[in-house]
């Protein structure tokens, strides 16, 4: 009996930390991460209801930031071209949120125990951040392109228009917008 309980526990928890496969298909991601304890669709839907940002945009943002990897970090810089050195920022987890931005989210929402490597917390953060972009910069909640630009450049950087002279930011935002559009079609197809 003990072995059965242990095996069942490992099976239930085993899917929690794994990166989903087929991340280009949001329905497959939700099917793979649809467990009782860590249901990604329910978490994304809660964030959509709380902040008004469509699930497709929330998921496209996380796709673009971390590829749904819980412990994602920016690559280390190299000293002398080959010695692994420091990371360029404190970005971490599913949302690639910086330490200071994450602390701001925790203070503002009262989610002091929230973690960047917990999908439910991360998708709530993304919805909250996009909502802040709407309030601070007047970006429509369904405008994946400009929401992602504000996510990438920060609210102040977006307001100053720093992205206008940075083609790589615009390319990233177009990729996020394209993925959000694909995800929206897929969500329709699978009835979510």
């Amino acid at each position: 009996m003990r072995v059965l309980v242990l095996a069942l526990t490992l099976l239930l928890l085993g899917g929690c930390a794994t990166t989903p496969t087929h991340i280009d298909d949001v329905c497959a991601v939700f099917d793979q991460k649809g467990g009782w304890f860590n249901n990604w669709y329910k978490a994304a839907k809660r964030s959509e209801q709380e902040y008004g940002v469509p699930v497709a945009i929330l998921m496209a943002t996380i796709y673009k930031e971390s590829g749904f990897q819980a412990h994602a970090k920016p690559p280390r810089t190299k000293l002398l071209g080959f010695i692994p050195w420091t990371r360029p920022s404190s970005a971490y987890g599913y949302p690639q949120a910086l330490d200071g931005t994450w602390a701001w989210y925790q203070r503002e929402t009262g989610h002091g125990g929230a973690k960047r490597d917990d999908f439910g917390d991360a998708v709530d953060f993304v919805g909250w951040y996009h909502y802040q972009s709407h309030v601070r910069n007047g970006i429509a909640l369904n405008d994946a392109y400009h929401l992602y630009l504000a996510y990438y450049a920060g609210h102040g950087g977006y307001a100053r228009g720093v992205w206008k002279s940075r083609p790589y930011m615009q390319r990233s935002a177009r990729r996020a917008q394209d993925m959000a559009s694909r995800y929206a079609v897929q969500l329709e197809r699978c009835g979510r």
Side-chain angles (χ1 to χ4, degrees), residues 34-99:
W36 292 333
F37 303 111
N38 192 18
N39 188 302
W40 284 19
Y41 177 71
K42 287 181 182 177
K45 199 65 182 167
R46 269 193 308 273
S47 184
E48 177 185 64
Q49 290 166 346
E50 173 88 16
Y51 303 109
V53 180
V55 167
I57 294 175
L58 298 170
M59 296 299 284
T61 301
I62 294 174
Y63 171 94
K64 187 72 187 74
E65 288 297 298
S66 67
F68 301 107
Q69 294 179 39
H71 305 289
K73 295 178 184 176
R76 291 185 179 277
T77 57
K78 303 280 189 211
L79 179 66
L80 304 175
F82 67 95
I83 301 170
W85 203 241
T86 60
R87 297 190 191 278
S89 77
S90 62
Y92 176 72
Y94 291 112
Q96 287 296 281
L98 300 172
D99 290 350

Side-chain angles (χ1 to χ4, degrees), residues 60-61 63-65 144-153 163 166-180:
T61 301
Y63 171 94
K64 187 72 187 74
E65 288 297 298
Y145 180 79
H146 288 96
L147 287 173
Y148 189 80
L149 281 173
Y151 195 89
Y152 196 122
W163 52 275
R166 297 184 181 162
Y168 65 91
M169 283 188 181
Q170 295 168 35
R171 280 192 301 276
S172 288
R174 273 193 299 280
R175 282 192 216 105
Q177 179 184 36
D178 291 347
M179 185 53 70

Side-chain angles (χ1 to χ4, degrees), residues 22 24-33 39-42 45 55-56 59 181-192:
H22 309 295
D24 289 335
D25 182 346
V26 74
C27 296
V29 170
F30 286 146
D31 286 346
Q32 189 173 348
K33 295 297 190 173
N39 188 302
W40 284 19
Y41 177 71
K42 287 181 182 177
K45 199 65 182 167
V55 167
M59 296 299 284
S181 296
R182 283 173 59 190
Y183 277 177
V185 169
Q186 292 167 356
L187 288 167
E188 284 282 322
R189 185 193 72 228
C190 68
R192 295 203 189 229

Side-chain angles (χ1 to χ4, degrees), residues 89-92 96-108 116 125 128-129 155:
S89 77
S90 62
Y92 176 72
Q96 287 296 281
L98 300 172
D99 290 350
T101 309
W102 190 259
W104 175 39
Y105 161 75
Q106 289 176 309
R107 278 191 315 274
E108 291 290 314
R116 291 175 277 185
F125 167 81
W128 172 83
Y129 194 91
H155 297 128

